[in-house]
Amino acid sequence: MSTAAAIASTTYAETYRPQFHYSPAQNWMNDPNGLVYYNGQYHLFYQYNPSGSTWGNMSWGHAVSPDLTHWTELPVAIPQDDADMIFSGSAVVDTKNTAGFGSPGNPALVAIYTAANKTTGNQSQALAYSTDGGQTFTKYAGNPVLDIGSNSFRDPKVFWYAPGNEWIMAAALSDQHKVTFYSSPDLKQWTHLNDFGSAGATGGPWECPDLFPLPDPSDPSKEKWVLVVNLNPGGIAGGSGAQYFTGSFDPVHGFTPDGIPPAGTSLGSFDTGTFDGLTPTGTAFGSGPATGTLPGQMPVTGWAGAGYASSFNGGDASTGKLSTPDFNINKNYLNFLIGGGNHPYVPGQVTPDGIPEGTTLADFEGADYGSGWQTTGDFMNTGPASGTLANQNPVSGYIGNHLVNTFTNGDGPTGSITSPAFTVSHRYVNLLVGGGNHPWGSPNPTAVNLVIDGQVIQTATGQDSEHLGWISWDLDAYQGRSASIQIVDQNSGGWGHILVDQIMSGDHPVSVAQDTSVKLVVDGRVARSATGQDSEHLDWTSWDLSDLQGRTGHIEVDDNNANTYGGAWAHILADQISLSDTSVPAVLQRTHWVDFGRDDYAAVTYNDAPDGKRIMIGWMNNWDYGQAIPTSPWRSAMTIPKQLSLSLINGEPTLVQNPVDQIAQLYTGQPAATQNLALPPGTTPLPANGQAMDITATFTAGTATSYGLKVRDGGAQETLIGYDNATGDVYLDRTNSGNSGFASSFPGIQRAHLPTNNGTVKLRVLVDWSSVEVFANDGQLVLTDQIFPDPSSQAVQAFANGGTATLNSFTATQVSSAW
């Protein structure tokens, strides 16, 4: 059936058909795409399946509206072809004709979309253009215009950046939880700028980014940038969700999010050009803090202030440590920014310069090898070496100042160095070994042996290296026996020497630390530790120290990973270490969410909206159950268009969203109203009912534990919009909202923390035939949920649980159909 025929055969009065939200006449729809205002019309493109009511055959559907309220569905704008499906993207008016598709007085409407190859899965960015106002589109013959060979590179949002006289693209590197930025003079040739992420919520692939400025609420003469990132799964309410970041943007520095600097006592901010009293060892941290991305490193983001600690000096192979002086733990929390490699600290491991737990059999720190040690051959009358000997390559890995080194006169000397007998009293002997690789049993060995009753029970040799590494011998079968250590050098050729140090008897085999971590060390033991997430973005971590009050400890920023085994991410990043009375909230809680309900995804904004307004629309559905919702012959709708602004709430820039004013065109009849209504415990009927309404209600708590509204109420069906005094949460409860058997994950209660406004809570609720959108305290937060009640469930009631409340004011206006 053609689009025109489908529209003609649709009544727009089917059960659950939204009356003032856009839905297609029939078939499947998901992400809004290409939101742009052009020649007096708001264009709404969207992911569309022309052939069915579930996802597939992705093409761009198309609708237009003069007022964001009355929509006209048009034929499919950009259809899939044999090679590619047409995934999400954006649209711009090329006023300057930079791409050359338009003509004087008739700029082209250019769509920038992801071409998803049906055979390979490769995702590249492509163009289609229209010179007839969006009625028809032509795919650019030079497609793709941007291809990085990835199956997870999609959803370009493009806008004109006037300060640079250039186009900017924000696209998702979905599997990396990153937004990548590009610039172009003509929409055809793109240059990579930088990336942002990972940050915030990363519970699922990132999709559909959007970047735009709004007036800065602390100084409206300036701009603050907002970066919206959708993800699925990983939303705050489960399944799909949309998060946002506020910060600054320019093409050179990319997007820099606003930080969360918790008040407290600084232990290291790294903003003075020094390590702020932290002592460095090794080479990894260089001579001072990093002030940007280091050579050979991917772009680093998320640090606060002028500098941060980075162990990427010299790349991933370098190792080292930063240590604070000891301090008294006198606050309940330690907060810090951390990034870099995901190599956690493992209890019991020793650092490369550390000593495992146990009894020292020999450390070779004296003038001779030790009491009772015997020497033969060329090693008679010798003693431990103080590191590297004459003509020897640099020796490393030994502990202290001395070691056994048989390079006494080059590789020529031979002989043995043997310990006195000792009783095997622990399961393991751990020791450091280096030098030539000439195992015991081969001709002319360079080996260290454990000898019992004249038999070599365990043996080790070097690896043709002047670096000493740990060796562990399991002696479980020889407990109580008499043993000795024999160091043998019978080789006078190349690598004809052996290095030995720090022979220990212990209960555990030695395990060498490979961590990249931040540690709190108390009384010589690691009490807390954290590592990076294989990301160059620094994010906040908070440790609860309430059980350590009054103790003494210090912080170590450790890079013990020399990238010996290949791979990457063998470095650590840290910043803003401080003791505080306040913890940094967990990632999901401190993430800013566009919507706390379950049904607002792929939220993006219009380019070129009149009067500089920033208008957002989202897909009113959730991938958890989106293909099963009980609607026909269409499936899915869009959220109400919302006008955006920023407001300072608790000192923090917060996205404020409210329905566009044009919804008032659909109001019908006189509003039902009441005020100063005392609410006793239980349910109180209100003078309103209907399937499509715009309701505003203001409450004061009284003694009630919770209170609010019931909408689409009828018998056993109800949808609750309430406020929980115990938790300070506004909530939307659709557990009994009607038809929900199509998915077990559909029923539920969504919550968001909302401080009262001098004891009052204001709720604006848009009720449509299959949806509820809640705008709390003038749009400070939003909850959007689909509901599928019986058409007869139309009552509106107030409720108070566990006590009384007051309904200060209430108005309910009927909303007529936009169709």
Side-chain angles (χ1 to χ4, degrees):
M1 182 183 294
S2 69
T3 301
I7 295 169
S9 66
T10 297
T11 66
Y12 290 96
E14 303 94 340
T15 302
Y16 307 137
R17 171 71 77 172
Q19 295 301 291
F20 59 94
H21 295 79
Y22 178 75
S23 58
Q26 67 176 18
N27 296 336
W28 170 265
M29 175 185 72
N30 54 288
D31 306 357
N33 299 154
L35 304 185
V36 65
Y37 183 80
Y38 181 51
N39 283 349
Q41 289 187 314
Y42 293 91
H43 289 261
L44 169 62
F45 301 93
Y46 47 87
Q47 292 286 278
Y48 186 63
N49 181 358
S51 305
S53 59
T54 56
W55 187 92
N57 309 305
M58 283 293 99
S59 305
W60 272 26
H62 190 192
V64 294
S65 172
D67 56 11
L68 292 168
T69 301
H70 300 87
W71 294 96
T72 299
E73 186 172 351
L74 299 176
V76 171
I78 310 176
Q80 66 165 350
D81 55 33
D82 291 341
D84 299 317
M85 286 196 285
I86 313 301
F87 279 11
S88 292
S90 52
V92 299
V93 180
D94 190 7
T95 305
K96 298 179 181 293
N97 199 28
T98 63
F101 297 139
S103 58
N106 184 34
L109 189 62
V110 183
I112 307 95
Y113 62 89
T114 296
N117 187 276
K118 294 179 179 179
T119 301
T120 66
N122 185 68
Q123 298 177 0
S124 59
Q125 313 319 315
L127 306 179
Y129 60 92
S130 172
T131 56
D132 58 8
Q135 297 298 307
T136 60
F137 279 83
T138 300
K139 293 176 183 176
Y140 173 49
N143 284 335
V145 295
L146 182 57
D147 186 354
I148 63 172
S150 170
N151 288 19
S152 297
F153 173 46
R154 56 182 177 267
D155 310 337
K157 175 60 184 282
V158 174
F159 61 93
W160 181 252
Y161 184 71
N165 200 39
E166 61 190 330
W167 298 102
I168 297 293
M169 175 193 293
L173 297 172
S174 298
D175 58 345
Q176 299 179 46
H177 304 121
K178 289 183 179 180
V179 176
T180 184
F181 299 103
Y182 289 81
S183 67
S184 173
D186 58 5
L187 297 171
K188 298 175 181 178
Q189 304 295 320
W190 292 93
T191 300
H192 180 249
L193 299 172
N194 37 62
D195 299 336
F196 169 74
S198 62
T202 57
W206 280 14
E207 297 185 318
C208 301
D210 194 2
L211 178 67
F212 52 86
L214 287 171
D216 187 334
S218 61
D219 184 354
S221 66
K222 298 180 180 179
E223 290 182 333
K224 183 166 285 292
W225 287 79
V226 179
L227 177 64
V228 175
V229 180
N230 294 267
L231 76 162
N232 172 60
I236 184 64
S240 313
Q243 62 182 320
Y244 72 92
F245 307 86
T246 61
S248 61
F249 173 80
D250 66 70
V252 174
H253 299 96
F255 180 79
T256 302
D258 294 328
I260 312 171
T265 303
S266 177
L267 301 175
S269 66
F270 310 112
D271 293 333
T272 63
T274 72
F275 287 125
D276 294 334
L278 280 77
T279 301
T281 58
T283 61
F285 290 94
S287 59
T291 56
T293 302
L294 296 178
Q297 190 175 20
M298 293 185 292
V300 177
T301 59
W303 81 88
Y308 65 99
S310 171
S311 71
F312 197 80
N313 287 272
D316 274 333
S318 58
T319 61
K321 176 192 299 184
L322 290 175
S323 301
T324 70
D326 283 343
F327 58 86
N328 180 255
I329 301 173
N330 57 8
K331 295 183 182 295
N332 283 334
Y333 297 96
L334 192 137
N335 302 313
F336 55 95
L337 287 162
I338 187 171
N342 186 351
H343 305 287
Y345 163 74
V346 177
Q349 289 187 331
V350 298
T351 60
D353 60 349
I355 301 174
E357 293 182 357
T359 302
T360 301
L361 299 178
D363 62 10
F364 306 111
E365 291 301 303
D368 53 27
Y369 295 113
S371 177
W373 283 73
Q374 301 294 318
T375 56
T376 67
D378 295 324
F379 306 128
M380 294 181 67
N381 301 316
T382 65
S386 56
T388 307
L389 297 177
N391 300 316
Q392 188 175 22
N393 290 325
V395 175
S396 62
Y398 60 97
I399 293 173
N401 298 314
H402 297 87
L403 74 156
V404 174
N405 184 347
T406 66
F407 197 82
T408 55
N409 189 24
D411 278 327
T414 60
S416 65
I417 304 167
T418 305
S419 77
F422 64 93
T423 301
V424 178
S425 58
H426 295 86
R427 178 168 179 175
Y428 294 94
V429 166
N430 302 309
L431 66 162
L432 288 165
V433 179
N437 186 351
H438 307 289
W440 184 256
S442 66
N444 308 316
T446 54
V448 54
N449 304 324
L450 186 131
V451 179
I452 295 178
D453 295 335
Q455 300 294 316
V456 173
I457 303 303
Q458 296 281 3
T459 184
T461 188
Q463 298 298 316
D464 289 350
S465 168
E466 303 294 19
H467 180 78
L468 289 84
W470 283 103
I471 297 292
S472 292
W473 290 332
D474 188 344
L475 304 182
D476 189 44
Y478 303 97
Q479 295 298 297
R481 303 280 292 275
S482 179
S484 62
I485 303 292
Q486 181 187 59
I487 302 170
V488 178
D489 178 356
Q490 296 179 359
N491 197 301
S492 57
W495 286 104
H497 63 278
I498 188 164
L499 314 174
V500 179
D501 196 18
Q502 206 65 45
I503 304 173
M504 304 287 298
S505 174
D507 294 325
H508 304 284
V510 70
S511 176
V512 179
Q514 294 286 316
D515 60 303
T516 53
S517 66
V518 176
K519 305 185 186 79
L520 171 64
V521 181
V522 178
D523 297 334
R525 295 184 178 274
V526 176
R528 303 284 189 274
S529 68
T531 188
Q533 297 300 316
D534 288 351
S535 169
E536 303 295 20
H537 179 76
L538 289 85
D539 204 353
W540 285 101
T541 287
S542 186
W543 288 334
D544 185 343
L545 307 183
S546 56
D547 61 321
L548 299 173
Q549 292 300 293
R551 307 274 289 277
T552 298
H554 69 271
I555 298 295
E556 295 180 2
V557 184
D558 284 347
D559 180 352
N560 293 313
N561 197 307
N563 202 24
T564 304
Y565 304 105
W569 294 109
H571 60 277
I572 185 75
L573 315 174
D575 196 13
Q576 303 298 321
I577 306 169
S578 68
L579 287 167
S580 178
D581 293 321
T582 306
S583 68
V584 177
V587 171
L588 283 183
Q589 279 63 52
R590 74 172 181 266
T591 298
H592 299 287
W593 295 97
V594 172
D595 199 303
F596 289 84
R598 295 214 66 192
D599 292 311
D600 186 355
Y601 188 61
V604 290
T605 65
Y606 269 90
N607 282 331
D608 303 327
D611 303 320
K613 293 180 179 180
R614 183 60 56 174
I615 308 296
M616 173 179 279
I617 292 179
W619 176 51
M620 195 159 58
N621 210 337
N622 190 308
W623 284 110
D624 264 6
Y625 44 73
Q627 300 188 84
I629 60 172
T631 62
S632 180
W634 83 102
R635 189 170 271 131
S636 293
M638 296 298 180
T639 67
I640 198 73
K642 294 168 284 191
Q643 183 170 339
L644 308 183
S645 62
L646 288 173
S647 180
L648 279 179
I649 299 175
N650 296 324
E652 191 170 8
T654 302
L655 192 65
V656 173
Q657 308 169 68
N658 283 293
V660 293
D661 294 339
Q662 291 94 320
I663 188 177
Q665 299 176 43
L666 299 177
Y667 291 169
T668 182
Q670 293 298 311
T674 189
Q675 58 184 357
N676 299 323
L677 181 63
L679 302 177
T683 300
T684 301
L686 295 174
N689 64 82
Q691 292 180 266
M693 291 176 287
D694 187 346
I695 300 171
T696 300
T698 303
F699 293 88
T700 303
T703 61
T705 56
S706 61
Y707 53 86
L709 297 172
K710 295 181 179 181
V711 301
R712 298 303 305 269
D713 185 84
Q717 294 184 358
E718 61 184 14
T719 299
L720 278 65
I721 303 100
Y723 189 81
D724 187 332
N725 263 338
T727 62
D729 292 345
V730 63
Y731 63 91
L732 202 171
D733 181 348
R734 66 177 182 190
T735 53
N736 296 301
S737 64
N739 186 349
S740 61
F742 54 87
S744 61
S745 62
F746 185 82
I749 303 173
Q750 284 67 251
R751 293 177 170 269
H753 190 67
L754 179 74
T756 64
N757 185 6
N758 295 321
T760 66
V761 173
K762 183 178 181 181
L763 303 173
R764 183 178 180 185
V765 183
L766 298 186
V767 181
D768 205 344
W769 284 15
S770 58
S771 65
V772 172
E773 291 163 296
V774 180
F775 299 84
N777 282 1
D778 297 312
Q780 287 185 25
L781 58 82
V782 180
L783 297 95
T784 300
D785 271 7
Q786 296 179 93
I787 57 172
F788 300 103
D790 294 337
S792 60
S793 297
Q794 298 189 20
V796 180
Q797 305 196 64
F799 70 89
N801 294 324
T804 62
T806 300
L807 180 57
N808 302 323
S809 63
F810 171 84
T811 60
T813 305
Q814 299 293 322
V815 181
S816 62
S817 176
W819 299 111

